[in-house]
Amino acid sequence: MVLVILSGIKLLAQDTYVFFGSFNRDKETEGIYVYQLDTIKGKLSKVTSFKGILNPSFLTLSPNGKYIYACTESKTKNGGSVSSFEFNPEKKTLTFINNQKSGGENPVYLSAHQNGKWLIVGNYTEGSTSVYPLSEKGRIEPVVQNFQFTEGSVNLGRQDRAHIHSTVFSPNFDYVFLPDLGADKIRAYKFESDRNEPLQPAKVPETKATLGSGPRHLTFHPNGKFAYCIEEMGGAVSVYKYENGTLKSIQRIDTHSEKLKEDFESSDVHISPDGRYLYASNRGVENNIAIFAIQNDGTLKAIGYQPTGGKHPRVFAIDSTGKFVITTNSVSGTATVFKRNAETGLLKRIRGKVKMHGVSSVQIRKY
C-alpha cells in the first residue's frame, strides 16, 4: 500500500492493478498492459506490458489473482488459443507460462472456476466451447471437453451458425451459461468440478432469446437471484429470475434511446458491487454506457447514458469497491476512467485518456 496525505488526512491508496488486453495485430507490439490505479484520484500509471502474443482480446484472472488467462490469436485463421501468465504484484512482472489451442475459431471469452482448477473458453466464429484443467502453478493443461454447436437463427448475415460469445459460471459455480449470438439462445450445462469431464447436461439445456437479438454477455446479481443478458443485435438487456440452473424471463429493456431504431451494437454488462445499478455498453453510433437502477424485483429502470470518450467500447469493468468504472474503446485505442456515484449510479469522467493500440478488454484487481 501507498500512504497518501490529502488535506491533512492520511489515506491508504490500495494496490489496485488494471489489466488490459488488446487486438495488437502484431506479436512485435505490446499485447497485454498492466497499470496501477490510484484509488484516490483515479489516475492510471503503467506498470508493465507483454509482447510476443497475438490479439489477446479478452482476459480473466484466477481467483487468487496470481494468474492471468487470455484468449489469444483471436480473429486469426486456425490460430485460436488460450494463454496463461503469472503476475507478481511485488516485482510488478508479467511472465508467460504456456498456451493451448482453443478448440475452435476466434476465442472471445473465458472464465476460471472459483476453485482455481478449471478454465472454460468460448469460440465465437466456430460456435464451440472448451474446458481445460488448471495446475496449481497456473499452467493450462490439455483440453478435456469440447462441444461444437451448429444451428443458427433468422439473420442469415450474422446468424448463419452458432456463435458462442461468453462462458459464465452461475453464482454457486455449479452451472455454466453460454450466450449464443448465432442461435438466439443461452445454453446451459451443469458443472461438476470433481469429475474429469465437468460439463454435464442440464435439466433445462437452453433458454430461448428474442429472434434476431444476438445474446452476447451475461452477468448475475450479487444476491444470486437474477441474471442479465445483453443482446448485441437487439440493443437490449433481458432480465431473468434465476434458480437452480434455470432462467425465467421477467423483462426486456432497450439499452439505447428511442431515437435509435437500428444498427445496435450493444456489448458488455456489469452490476455495481452493491447490487443497486446495472451498466451496459453500446458501440456503433452511440459509444456510451447505459445506466439502470435495479428494482427490488430485479427489473431495470433506465436513468441515463454516459459517453465513453472513445469509439467502440467493447468491454468495461467496475472495481471491487464500486468506486471506479474503466472502459476500453477498441477502435480509438483508449481507456477511460470514470468515478461512480454510489447513490445516484451516475458516472463522472476523470480527465485524461490512456492510449493503447486496439485495447479491447479490462480486468481490475486489488492485491
Side-chain angles (χ1 to χ4, degrees):
M1 293 185 179
V2 179
L3 186 64
V4 177
I5 299 178
L6 186 64
S7 300
I9 301 175
K10 293 182 179 180
L11 300 172
L12 289 175
Q14 300 287 339
D15 286 333
T16 298
Y17 291 89
V18 185
F19 304 86
F20 294 101
S22 70
F23 289 111
N24 61 343
R25 311 291 181 183
D26 181 359
K27 288 185 178 181
E28 299 304 313
T29 62
E30 294 169 301
I32 296 177
Y33 305 79
V34 183
Y35 281 74
Q36 192 161 8
L37 175 67
D38 181 332
T39 55
I40 305 300
K41 298 181 179 180
K43 182 181 178 182
L44 288 173
S45 301
K46 189 175 179 181
V47 171
T48 188
S49 62
F50 192 91
K51 297 180 181 179
I53 53 170
L54 188 64
N55 292 353
S57 64
F58 191 87
L59 309 178
T60 196
L61 277 65
S62 63
N64 61 9
K66 189 174 182 179
Y67 304 108
I68 313 300
Y69 302 108
C71 293
T72 41
E73 302 210 19
S74 296
K75 293 190 175 181
T76 305
K77 189 172 179 60
N78 300 320
S81 59
V82 288
S83 299
S84 176
F85 304 82
E86 181 177 1
F87 177 65
N88 187 317
E90 287 76 30
K91 297 180 180 179
K92 295 180 171 55
T93 57
L94 190 64
T95 306
F96 175 75
I97 299 174
N98 81 316
N99 63 12
Q100 299 282 358
K101 288 291 186 180
S102 68
E105 288 287 315
N106 193 14
V108 293
Y109 197 105
L110 74 176
S111 298
H113 193 276
Q114 66 175 354
N115 65 14
K117 297 180 179 180
W118 296 102
L119 186 72
I120 182 167
V121 63
N123 298 296
Y124 176 82
T125 301
E126 202 165 341
S128 67
T129 189
S130 299
V131 182
Y132 306 84
L134 296 171
S135 77
E136 292 182 0
K137 295 185 178 181
R139 184 179 180 85
I140 304 173
E141 302 296 347
V143 64
V144 294
Q145 286 179 290
N146 175 263
F147 291 93
Q148 298 277 333
F149 309 104
T150 56
E151 73 269 36
S153 191
V154 295
N155 187 322
L156 297 182
R158 295 288 310 279
Q159 298 176 309
D160 59 318
R161 60 164 301 148
H163 296 304
I164 301 300
H165 218 309
S166 56
T167 56
V168 181
F169 283 103
S170 63
N172 292 330
F173 286 80
D174 52 352
Y175 287 88
V176 169
F177 292 90
L178 312 173
D180 187 336
L181 181 147
D184 284 326
K185 60 180 63 173
I186 302 172
R187 302 179 187 275
Y189 283 88
K190 194 164 177 57
F191 197 90
E192 299 180 6
S193 60
D194 57 343
R195 299 181 64 150
N196 292 331
E197 296 184 348
L199 279 189
Q200 299 296 321
K203 288 184 178 179
V204 182
E206 61 186 46
T207 300
K208 293 182 179 180
T210 299
L211 292 178
S213 63
R216 181 181 169 99
H217 285 184
L218 178 76
T219 192
F220 286 90
H221 193 279
N223 66 17
K225 297 179 180 179
F226 306 103
Y228 303 82
C229 184
I230 192 162
E231 298 165 352
E232 176 175 334
M233 298 162 60
V237 172
S238 280
V239 184
Y240 300 91
K241 185 175 181 180
Y242 176 72
E243 187 175 8
N244 296 327
T246 302
L247 299 171
K248 181 181 179 182
S249 178
I250 57 175
Q251 184 191 24
R252 186 168 183 260
I253 185 170
D254 291 340
T255 62
H256 53 85
S257 69
E258 294 182 356
K259 296 179 181 179
L260 192 65
K261 303 297 182 182
E262 58 185 1
D263 298 328
F264 310 122
E265 291 187 55
S266 300
S267 53
D268 201 10
V269 61
H270 294 284
I271 296 172
S272 58
D274 59 16
R276 296 179 60 190
Y277 295 96
L278 179 142
Y279 301 83
S281 55
N282 297 301
R283 300 168 296 177
V285 298
E286 296 176 278
N287 295 309
N288 65 19
I289 292 180
I291 306 169
F292 300 89
I294 301 176
Q295 311 301 298
N296 291 335
D297 62 356
T299 58
L300 302 177
K301 179 182 178 182
I303 61 172
Y305 302 91
Q306 173 64 52
T308 63
K311 295 181 180 179
H312 213 74
R314 185 172 183 264
V315 173
F316 68 97
I318 305 173
D319 80 307
S320 61
T321 68
K323 187 177 178 180
F324 296 100
V325 174
I326 301 177
T327 66
T328 63
N329 306 300
S330 61
V331 171
S332 56
T334 55
T336 313
V337 182
F338 297 89
K339 195 166 186 179
R340 194 182 76 89
N341 186 312
E343 289 304 313
T344 66
L346 299 179
L347 305 178
K348 182 179 181 180
R349 181 176 158 187
I350 294 174
R351 287 187 177 182
K353 300 177 186 178
V354 179
K355 292 286 293 183
M356 286 171 280
H357 181 74
V359 61
S360 62
S361 179
V362 58
Q363 294 285 347
I364 309 171
R365 169 84 186 208
K366 183 167 66 178
Y367 289 81

